[in-house]
């Protein structure tokens, strides 16, 4: 264990990804050991945040399982601490309309993610994996106020699937104002430039006056890369994307093997 990561009495800020980190992708539950670890951390005066690519309206499942001090949502497009919105960014209505048109013209499909809800095409997608994604969003209880084809709504970011007929490079050339995160298997997470899990952490640390030395990030996938590059104390789950390896300062066990609790004990957080 690095000496710089040993326990001290200063308040720490802990930032957790959801899927594959806090939430098991096998059981779709947060292990009891992780719930107890987060509870202990907060009892000891530390601050616990969810830092996720999910938008605010898509967090009901995790909220029902853990209590936290705030939510960093939509890859930094909305930051909430202790019930207060510290930052919010929404794509303009004009840009939203053009983005939808460009996605359709280039043959990709997916989910538009907004603060009030998520939006999908009302017609079935020719891409089977996108249909599975749409079904998962519906089953999660995330609000879906209207359809992709409707007008009059805005969104914060979007998640797209592709196949051999999709013209991905053409689309990405039209999306110069977005950061494109390759999630693998033909899926891409698209976030307005200047926003990331790292930018959200930076905002929270400045708000509370907490140093980077006292910030700990926990993640497992490619969309955690920005916060791993930004932070100094980076905990990778036992099963994680190789892209995180150069930045991980600690590799813990898998989610189902009490990985969160193990890391927090080993690093002296609890």
């Amino acid at each position: 264990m690095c000496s710089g990561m040993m326990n001290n009495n200063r308040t720490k800020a802990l930032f957790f990804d959801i899927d594959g980190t806090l939430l098991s992708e096998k059981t779709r539950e947060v292990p009891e050991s992780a719930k107890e670890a987060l509870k202990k951390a907060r009892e000891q005066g530390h601050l616990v945040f969810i830092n996720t690519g999910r938008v605010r309206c898509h967090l009901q499942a995790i909220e029902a399982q853990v209590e936290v001090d705030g939510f960093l949502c939509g890859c930094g497009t909305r930051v909430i601490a202790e019930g207060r919105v510290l930052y919010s960014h929404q794509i303009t209505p004009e840009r939203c309309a053009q983005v939808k048109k460009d996605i359709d013209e280039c043959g990709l499909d997916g989910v538009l993610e907004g603060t009030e809800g998520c939006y999908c095409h009302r017609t079935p997608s020719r891409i089977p994996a996108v249909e599975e994604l749409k079904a998962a969003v519906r089953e999660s209880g995330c609000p879906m106020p209207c359809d992709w084809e409707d007008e009059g709504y805005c969104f914060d970011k979007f998640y797209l699937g592709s196949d051999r007929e999709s013209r991905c490079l053409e689309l990405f050339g039209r999306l110069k104002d977005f950061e494109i995160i390759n999630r693998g298997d033909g899926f891409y997470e698209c976030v307005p430039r200047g926003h990331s899990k790292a930018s959200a952490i930076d905002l929270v640390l400045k708000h509370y006056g907490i140093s980077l030395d006292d910030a700990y990030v926990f993640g497992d996938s490619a969309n955690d890369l920005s916060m791993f590059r930004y932070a100094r104390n980076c905990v990778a789950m036992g099963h994680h994307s190789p892209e995180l390896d150069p930045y991980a300062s600690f590799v813990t066990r898998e989610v189902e093997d009490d990985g969160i609790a193990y890391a927090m004990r080993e690093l002296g957080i609890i």
Side-chain angles (χ1 to χ4, degrees):
M1 180 175 10
C2 299
S3 60
M5 296 182 72
M6 293 293 287
N7 190 26
N8 56 56
N9 294 324
R10 296 193 301 267
T11 297
K12 297 174 179 62
L14 316 175
F15 301 89
F16 296 87
D17 171 55
I18 297 178
D19 299 287
T21 299
L22 266 184
L23 190 73
S24 168
E25 294 184 316
K26 298 176 181 177
T27 67
R28 305 310 301 169
E29 298 287 336
V30 177
E32 290 300 322
S33 61
K35 295 178 186 179
E36 186 61 27
L38 267 60
K39 181 180 178 182
K40 285 183 179 179
R42 297 182 75 222
E43 289 174 347
Q44 292 174 207
H46 303 311
L47 298 171
V48 173
F49 298 92
I50 298 296
N51 194 4
T52 178
R54 296 192 194 189
V55 287
R56 182 67 184 89
C57 64
H58 200 187
L59 296 178
Q60 300 96 324
I62 196 73
E63 281 188 272
Q65 298 190 54
V66 296
E67 292 187 7
V68 297
D69 296 287
F71 299 91
L72 287 57
C73 313
C75 290
T77 55
R78 189 173 179 87
V79 178
I80 301 166
E82 299 178 90
R84 175 186 171 194
V85 178
L86 300 184
Y87 178 81
S88 182
H89 177 274
Q90 203 168 54
I91 305 167
T92 66
E94 296 79 15
R95 189 67 181 115
C96 284
Q98 185 61 52
V99 165
K100 291 197 295 181
K101 180 180 178 183
D102 289 339
I103 294 170
D104 287 339
E105 288 181 353
C106 293
L108 285 82
D109 197 2
V111 178
L112 308 172
E113 303 169 84
T115 300
E116 290 77 27
C118 290
Y119 311 91
C120 304
H121 280 108
R122 65 174 65 99
T123 54
S125 177
R126 72 162 191 276
I127 304 171
V130 169
E131 275 303 291
E132 293 175 8
L133 172 65
K134 289 163 62 175
V137 172
R138 292 190 184 99
E139 290 170 9
S140 72
C142 177
M144 302 184 78
C146 58
D147 297 318
W148 178 302
E149 295 87 348
D150 295 325
E151 299 178 357
Y153 65 89
C154 291
F155 47 91
D156 305 339
K157 60 186 285 282
F158 42 101
Y159 194 82
L160 302 176
S162 62
D163 62 10
R164 292 183 178 181
E165 296 180 39
S166 303
R167 304 195 306 276
C168 297
L169 292 180
E170 180 181 342
L171 175 62
F172 300 156
R174 302 184 189 187
L175 299 177
K176 296 296 187 183
D177 50 338
F178 289 87
E179 184 74 29
I180 312 298
I181 304 169
N182 188 340
R183 299 300 304 272
D185 298 322
F187 277 92
Y188 301 91
E189 194 164 11
C190 307
V191 184
R193 286 200 180 277
H195 298 84
S196 68
K197 289 188 174 185
S199 69
I201 293 174
D202 186 64
L203 190 152
V204 167
L205 295 183
K206 289 176 178 175
H207 176 74
Y208 284 101
I210 296 175
S211 77
L212 199 54
D213 288 334
D214 292 315
Y216 290 72
V217 303
F218 298 73
D220 71 296
S221 68
N223 88 336
D224 297 316
L225 191 57
S226 70
M227 68 177 184
F228 269 60
R229 285 173 171 163
Y230 171 81
R232 295 171 185 166
N233 304 313
C234 304
V235 180
M237 303 307 294
H239 179 70
H240 64 269
S241 168
E243 294 176 81
L244 301 182
D245 283 329
Y247 310 97
S249 47
F250 188 90
V251 177
T252 189
R253 300 169 179 168
E254 295 190 11
V255 184
E256 301 80 13
D257 192 23
D258 302 325
I260 292 295
Y262 174 76
M264 291 173 69
R265 288 194 303 268
E266 289 294 302
L267 299 176
I269 298 170
I270 58 173

